[in-house]
């Protein structure tokens, strides 16, 4: 009978387990996972106490997850894994708007709103902002029927699902373009906020001396028949955390410059009060 040793264990796991996996992609994934995990454990000479702490950390991460909170996505985001997956699956092509992380606070089923609606359902004292632009294809043709699903955190630093003080769907809505591809909506100027730090990921960031802040941003998922789904953000220009986003999701092409605006005609058309912050930002979708 052979002994399992530090030297032969990786090879034996491959022989006895990985190589017997019939699905080729799963075999590739398991093989690489075993290689990297074993190399990692040997590299850092993991102690039993550290191994048990890792087990407890992953257990706590799972226990923190429910239909409103996804601590595993947060773990992936804060370790830069989500952005690696993003980079692999959405390589920069120079055409179309760049992708970035979805984040754990997307909720499907946001209300369909008329173009120009204000998504603020409870005023938290934020600065009024009006965001407008158009959705086009690679050839700059407007896309009719593109659905922009938008959501953001309030100036209190929370999404509606985190904040019992605000009604459901606060700062969320879906807008559908017409033949001109144009969209517009009123909201509050997004400011920086921390990712949730009350769980194991927060403890991990704290132990590593890493801040938890994300620069202000609006989230968008944009879908249209015949086009790739676009998951992206518009970041707020000038935000002090643009260079050090806790989840590594910033891209310079996604930074939007808000301008102070006193356009009375625009204000009247959309029921806004001057002055407000105006942002023009166009989105480009890629044909599937
Ligand atoms: C967010 O922007 O909602 C977010 C993204 C990644 C981790 C946490 C929050
Ligand atoms: Fe966010």
């Amino acid at each position: 009978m052979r002994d399992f040793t530090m030297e032969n264990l990786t090879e034996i796991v491959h022989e006895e387990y990985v190589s017997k996996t019939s699905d080729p992609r799963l075999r590739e994934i398991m093989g690489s996972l075993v290689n990297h995990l074993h190399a990692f454990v040997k590299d850092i000479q993991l102690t039993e106490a550290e191994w048990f702490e890792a087990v407890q950390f992953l257990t706590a991460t799972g226990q923190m997850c429910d239909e409103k909170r996804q601590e595993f996505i947060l773990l992936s985001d804060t370790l830069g894994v989500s952005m690696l997956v993003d980079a692999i699956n959405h390589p920069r092509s120079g055409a179309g708007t760049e992708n970035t992380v979805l984040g754990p606070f997307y909720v499907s089923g946001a209300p369909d709103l008329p173009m120009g609606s204000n998504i603020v359902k409870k005023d938290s004292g934020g600065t009024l902002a009006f965001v407008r632009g158009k959705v086009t294809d690679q050839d700059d043709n407007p896309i009719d029927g593109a659905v922009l699903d938008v959501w953001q955190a309030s100036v209190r630093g929370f999404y509606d699902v985190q904040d019992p003080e605000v009604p459901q769907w606060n700062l969320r809505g879906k807008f559908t373009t017409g033949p001109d591809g144009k969209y517009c909506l009123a909201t509050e100027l997004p400011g920086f906020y921390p990712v949730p730090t009350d769980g194991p990921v927060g403890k991990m960031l704290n132990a590593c001396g890493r801040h938890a802040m994300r620069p202000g941003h609006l989230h968008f998922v944009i879908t249209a028949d015949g086009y790739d789904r676009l998951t992206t953000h518009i970041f707020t220009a000038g935000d002090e955390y643009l260079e050090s986003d806790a989840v590594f999701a910033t891209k310079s092409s996604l930074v939007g410059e808000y301008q102070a605006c006193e356009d009375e005609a625009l204000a009247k058309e959309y029921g806004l009060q001057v002055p407000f912050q105006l942002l023009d930002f166009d989105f480009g979708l890629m044909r599937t």
Side-chain angles (χ1 to χ4, degrees), residues 74 77 101 103-105 159 193 195-196 214 217 219 233 247:
L74 188 58
D77 293 342
V101 290
F105 295 114
Y159 288 85
Y193 69 89
V195 300
R214 296 216 62 207
H217 56 274
H219 289 264
H233 292 13
V247 303

Side-chain angles (χ1 to χ4, degrees), residues 137-138 143 223-230 285-288:
D137 66 15
Q138 287 110 301
I143 299 178
T223 48
D225 284 347
Y227 295 87
D228 288 344
R229 177 190 185 91
L230 172 67
L285 301 190
M286 303 296 286
R287 274 183 220 98
T288 41

Side-chain angles (χ1 to χ4, degrees), residues 116 118 128 130 186 264-274 276:
N118 193 332
L128 179 62
F130 193 69
E264 297 280 359
L266 185 61
K268 194 158 171 240
E269 189 177 352
Y270 292 103
L272 310 170
Q273 277 202 320
V274 293
F276 54 90

Side-chain angles (χ1 to χ4, degrees), residues 32-90:
S32 182
L33 178 69
V34 166
N35 286 346
H36 284 89
L37 261 183
H38 285 211
F40 167 69
V41 169
K42 286 189 210 166
D43 183 33
I44 58 168
Q45 293 286 293
L46 193 69
T47 67
E48 285 172 319
E50 289 162 344
W51 171 84
F52 191 59
E53 196 168 329
V55 169
Q56 284 178 307
F57 175 82
L58 292 173
T59 304
T61 301
Q63 285 168 341
M64 200 83 198
C65 295
D66 58 27
E67 69 283 353
K68 287 189 178 163
R69 175 79 181 258
Q70 234 306 345
E71 194 76 357
F72 271 114
I73 294 185
L74 188 58
L75 180 59
S76 162
D77 293 342
T78 52
L79 288 173
V81 173
S82 305
M83 281 309 285
L84 260 184
V85 175
D86 173 76
I88 290 164
N89 290 278
H90 304 278

